[in-house]
Amino acid sequence: MEKLSNKILQKIKEEKIEPKPRWQFLLKNYAFWAAFGVSVIIGGLAFCVVLGILVDNDWDIYRLAAENPGKKIFLSLPFLWILALVLFLAAAFYYCKRTKCGYRYEVYSIIGLSILGSVILGSIFHFSFGIGREMEALVAEKVPYYQKFYSPCNDRILWLQPEKGLLAGEIIKISPPNSFDLKDFNGSFWVVKKDEDTFVLENEPLFEKEEVRIIGKQEEEKVFRAKEIRPWKKKCPALEKGK
Amino acid sequence: MTKEECAQKTDEELVALTLKNQDFFSCLVERYEPKLRRYIQRISAATQEDAEDLLQEIFLKVYRNLRDFDQNLKFSSWIYRIAHNQVVSAWRKTKSRPPVIKFGADEDFLKFIATDEDLAGDTERKFSDEEVRKMLENLDHKYKEVLVLKFLEEKSYEEISDILQKPLGTVATLINRAKKQFAKIMEEQGIKF
């Protein structure tokens, strides 16, 4: 019986089989590491948006505005972005496992490292560059369906409850020293009064055409006393088009 | 190259020599043929002919991927990994049932049963073929595979990790569970040391 080594060598020679070049293996390995890195970075972007939404969330007004604050808070959580984060963490795990030495790492260490990477990158993106808000605004502009979940679009109704102490709209005219005219997002006109105790978050002094949200108390028909004034969020693309 | 000359070279040296002159590959084939043939038959239901075909495919794959061999690994781990993957791949291709691991009344395996710390007992105890077969038939495939590598191929945990491409912790867990399941099966079947 012919020796196996002879048969194999014969086949190698007859079929002119050659060892594959090393660069092919290196390229494949680097491609998986690169895909792992990209997944962590995209996961970081998703986390950055999650962070932006959570930081900007109107946590304190749900108790004023909603009949069921717990449910409202739950529904305000950015599930789509959390899902995106989870998907990219899964992708990072998959690519890491496909690298040459990926099998040596335990599941929890890869997942832990990916989460840590995404959280650190996401925090840098959010706190240093404010990328999260811009990215979410861009998605809302390009993907109309997303506007259903975009707080600048769907929180308007929440802030148009003057009887519950919430009002939002555009400043029409500043009347120094302590009042301004406001056109709310429903198109109604209001006189908003403020005093020295009124807390104005960012953008002091207020300016005309600025969009604001106000916590306070309705004093009379179309007269509102402000306790706190905050700038409105980003523009809602659907409403901007309709203007 | 003569057998003696081959024997003097390490695996890594033979890999380097093969990349310069393909004839040196026969040294590697001859060195690993008996080991891999035995391994294939232990982890699959391969007949002599099937094993021969698988061996050919394995060595050709090794040759094609020779430049992928990582010097941080043992060459034996790398070649066993290719063999393992090839067996699994052949099994998937034929869509047959999971390979039946044939320990038979393998003396080495009986030695393991008798000397393993977790299963220690009367080392004089003799097992019949039938007893061993019964015990092994009931063992999960993933456990049989690590038992083959650990106790029949005598690989270290690190080598098993490199062959099966699983983390060290997972290998340790698998071996531990395999022993426990083995002990449980013995108990259920009323087999005592």
Side-chain angles (χ1 to χ4, degrees):
Chain A
M1 193 178 168
E2 193 185 354
K3 275 168 70 179
L4 182 69
S5 57
N6 291 343
K7 269 201 251 178
I8 288 170
L9 266 188
Q10 197 184 339
K11 194 167 169 104
I12 286 173
K13 285 175 183 171
E14 275 175 11
E15 295 182 16
K16 294 188 172 59
I17 298 170
E18 287 290 333
K20 290 182 200 164
R22 185 156 173 74
W23 65 262
Q24 280 187 12
F25 301 108
L26 290 175
L27 188 69
K28 189 177 163 193
N29 195 38
Y30 291 148
F32 282 127
W33 277 119
F36 167 73
V38 168
S39 302
V40 172
I41 292 170
I42 298 178
L45 286 172
F47 181 75
C48 164
V49 178
V50 169
L51 205 57
I53 293 171
L54 294 181
V55 168
D56 287 351
N57 205 354
D58 297 311
W59 300 105
D60 54 341
I61 66 129
Y62 291 131
R63 67 188 161 77
L64 298 173
E67 283 174 13
N68 188 344
K71 187 180 169 190
K72 185 67 193 166
I73 288 172
F74 179 75
L75 291 175
S76 74
L77 296 176
F79 292 109
L80 276 181
W81 292 97
I82 292 171
L83 181 68
L85 176 62
V86 170
L87 286 178
F88 283 102
L89 286 174
F93 174 75
Y94 171 79
Y95 291 124
C96 182
K97 276 284 180 192
R98 302 273 293 173
T99 60
K100 210 166 178 177
C101 57
Y103 67 88
R104 290 185 186 161
Y105 306 114
E106 297 284 352
V107 175
Y108 60 81
S109 56
I110 300 175
I111 297 280
L113 187 76
S114 309
I115 291 176
L116 192 69
S118 292
V119 166
I120 291 173
L121 282 175
S123 304
I124 294 171
F125 291 154
H126 177 74
F127 292 111
S128 302
F129 308 109
I131 290 174
R133 293 183 186 101
E134 299 301 327
M135 216 172 100
E136 199 196 10
L138 187 72
V139 172
E141 193 185 325
K142 303 287 179 197
V143 186
Y145 182 75
Y146 181 72
Q147 289 169 23
K148 279 186 183 175
F149 308 97
Y150 190 43
S151 71
C153 296
N154 61 21
D155 277 4
R156 290 186 174 221
I157 297 164
L158 188 75
W159 280 90
L160 288 173
Q161 301 185 81
E163 70 287 357
K164 289 183 177 172
L166 300 168
L167 187 65
E170 184 183 326
I171 297 174
I172 301 298
K173 190 184 164 201
I174 306 275
S175 308
N178 282 327
S179 74
F180 57 85
D181 294 346
L182 179 113
K183 184 183 171 189
D184 74 20
F185 289 135
N186 275 343
S188 302
F189 289 90
W190 291 79
V191 173
V192 178
K193 293 180 179 174
K194 65 185 186 87
D195 51 42
E196 285 156 8
D197 293 334
T198 304
F199 177 68
V200 182
L201 190 72
E202 300 175 28
N203 294 340
E204 175 86 300
L206 299 166
F207 56 90
E208 287 171 8
K209 297 216 177 223
E210 182 184 8
E211 289 186 337
V212 291
R213 47 196 163 145
I214 307 162
I215 300 172
K217 193 178 174 189
Q218 185 175 4
E219 287 188 336
E220 296 168 37
E221 180 77 20
K222 305 299 176 192
V223 177
F224 197 84
R225 179 157 297 275
K227 276 189 203 162
E228 187 180 330
I229 303 172
R230 303 171 185 177
W232 183 247
K233 308 165 182 194
K234 291 269 179 191
K235 304 275 183 194
C236 173
L239 296 170
E240 285 301 300
K241 277 178 196 166
K243 268 188 180 177
Chain B
M1 188 174 242
T2 63
K3 265 192 177 179
E4 289 71 32
E5 283 172 318
C6 279
Q8 284 167 7
K9 303 282 182 197
T10 63
D11 291 342
E12 290 72 20
E13 285 170 337
L14 287 172
V15 169
L17 287 168
T18 302
L19 288 170
K20 290 176 191 160
N21 178 353
Q22 60 197 19
D23 290 339
F24 284 98
F25 193 56
S26 60
C27 296
L28 283 170
V29 175
E30 280 168 23
R31 184 173 293 179
Y32 279 96
E33 185 196 337
K35 293 178 193 174
L36 292 184
R37 187 184 297 277
R38 198 182 52 210
Y39 176 58
I40 289 169
Q41 290 186 318
R42 277 174 171 161
I43 65 164
S44 72
T47 60
Q48 284 288 343
E49 293 76 35
D50 291 343
E52 184 81 6
D53 291 344
L54 271 170
L55 274 171
Q56 271 208 49
E57 285 169 27
I58 289 162
F59 282 115
L60 287 173
K61 196 166 183 184
V62 167
Y63 184 73
R64 283 194 188 96
N65 293 290
L66 215 47
R67 288 197 175 95
D68 191 31
F69 167 55
D70 179 357
Q71 299 278 349
N72 295 320
L73 285 187
K74 274 183 154 187
F75 181 79
S76 65
S77 299
W78 186 67
I79 202 168
Y80 265 77
R81 179 196 293 177
I82 292 177
H84 166 81
N85 291 343
Q86 202 67 27
V87 168
V88 172
S89 161
W91 157 48
R92 282 186 186 145
K93 262 185 211 162
T94 56
K95 291 180 185 165
S96 59
R97 289 170 54 199
V100 177
I101 292 178
K102 289 188 262 179
F103 293 86
D106 196 312
E107 283 304 314
D108 293 334
F109 193 73
L110 295 180
K111 198 169 74 189
F112 139 64
I113 295 170
T115 56
D116 185 77
E117 281 176 19
D118 295 348
L119 301 168
D122 177 9
T123 52
E124 296 302 310
R125 169 76 162 90
K126 298 286 181 200
F127 294 90
S128 69
D129 287 10
E130 184 57 19
E131 278 176 335
V132 175
R133 193 186 58 76
K134 266 189 184 176
M135 286 187 279
L136 293 169
E137 265 177 6
N138 290 301
L139 206 57
D140 290 348
H141 181 259
K142 60 185 175 185
Y143 296 146
K144 289 176 191 170
E145 199 170 51
V146 287
L147 289 184
V148 168
L149 287 166
K150 180 79 183 94
F151 297 104
L152 301 184
E153 302 297 329
E154 296 181 332
K155 300 290 182 192
S156 67
Y157 279 38
E158 204 164 19
E159 287 172 299
I160 298 174
S161 158
D162 291 333
I163 293 167
L164 299 179
Q165 292 179 282
K166 290 184 191 298
L168 269 177
T170 308
V171 170
T173 307
L174 279 173
I175 291 176
N176 200 25
R177 285 185 187 160
K179 286 180 188 174
K180 278 185 186 159
Q181 197 181 62
F182 197 87
K184 196 178 162 200
I185 291 167
M186 284 198 296
E187 198 184 310
E188 280 170 5
Q189 299 194 355
I191 299 167
K192 289 176 186 169
F193 284 108

